[in-house]
Amino acid sequence: MTTPTTTPTTPASPAYKPSAAKRAQLWLANHFAMLSAILVLLYLFLPVAYTFAFSFNDHGKTNIVWQGFTWKHWQDPCRVSGACESLVTSLQVGALSTAIATVMGTMMALAMVRYKFRGKAASNVLIFVPMATPEIVMGAALLTIFVQGFANVGISLGFGTIVFAHIMFCLSFVVVTVKARIQSLDPRIEEAAQDLYASPMQTFWKVTFPLILPGIAGAAMLAFSLSFDDFIITNFVSGNESTFPKFVYVASRRGIPAEANVIGFSMFVLAVLLVIGAQVVGSLRASKYKE
């Protein structure tokens, strides 16, 4: 007489039921990346949430402690003297410095990738120097140059020196961004255009430029955000001119007004909408090419 043998249940068998602790461990392992991303986003957007919430604060002298809800700051963001004026200055400086830095940086990136010249290796290294230099060091150096050099030709600290300084530190970011885009292109595409009797100018405008345009647009957005956000270098070279970051810094000594929160959050929303719009346009173009 034989006795039936029973096989123990294993995790692979249908009868196996993991414990609650094991299920929780498996769920955490499967969703660890998503949970980490959510925590990082919450950490990053916490100051933005504070800025939005306290733009409705009915505060007195300081906008630090919540006093009550009000719409008046959104109804008239320019009520505080100097807020909108400094915002306009920051937008003008950002637009002008971004346009010049983007054009110059794109030409430099094309030259550094497509051409051979003496000092090319050194140029590739030196282009990172402005990015690695501490802003306070660059600001102090530029102040010395402007005071000792520009003063002799009648140029004083102000709007022009801010634009000059912003072009200088934005240029490196544009070159690096556009250069990476150019290096990712397949040179056979341009060679095919030339085989079809396209001139060098036609090849650039009809083939090369559309392909590197996303990189140029990304570099321009990065340059504008760096210019608009900069305070340290601007504080050195601005003289009596006030940009929005400088206005916020000066206002913080007596209490940042809620109108600054309104303007800051509005600029954040505008930047997010621009990024989303760029992503949508890129997706539409990609789907169009696939068709």
Side-chain angles (χ1 to χ4, degrees), residues 92-105:
Q92 291 174 342
V93 170
L96 187 57
S97 60
T98 296
I100 298 175
T102 302
V103 173
M104 294 177 60

Side-chain angles (χ1 to χ4, degrees), residues 37-83:
I38 293 174
L39 291 176
V40 170
L41 289 175
L42 290 175
Y43 174 76
L44 291 175
F45 286 104
L46 183 61
V48 178
Y50 173 89
T51 301
F52 176 71
F54 276 75
S55 65
F56 299 99
N57 186 21
D58 189 12
H59 63 88
K61 293 183 178 181
T62 60
N63 189 23
I64 299 177
V65 180
W66 182 263
Q67 300 292 337
F69 183 88
T70 181
W71 285 99
K72 64 181 181 181
H73 307 304
W74 283 86
Q75 293 172 352
D76 187 13
C78 299
R79 183 174 60 89
V80 177
S81 176

Side-chain angles (χ1 to χ4, degrees), residues 183-199:
Q183 288 175 331
S184 66
L185 298 182
D186 188 353
R188 292 175 297 182
I189 299 177
E190 295 171 301
E191 294 173 359
Q194 294 173 359
D195 290 339
L196 295 173
Y197 304 102
S199 65

Side-chain angles (χ1 to χ4, degrees), residues 126-138:
L126 292 175
I127 200 66
F128 287 95
V129 172
M131 300 171 62
T133 303
E135 290 191 359
I136 192 168
V137 175
M138 183 180 291

Side-chain angles (χ1 to χ4, degrees), residues 134-165:
E135 290 191 359
I136 192 168
V137 175
M138 183 180 291
L142 289 174
L143 176 62
T144 303
I145 294 173
F146 294 153
V147 170
Q148 294 184 356
F150 285 15
N152 297 329
V153 294
I155 299 178
S156 58
L157 298 178
F159 184 86
T161 55
I162 299 175
V163 173
F164 187 91

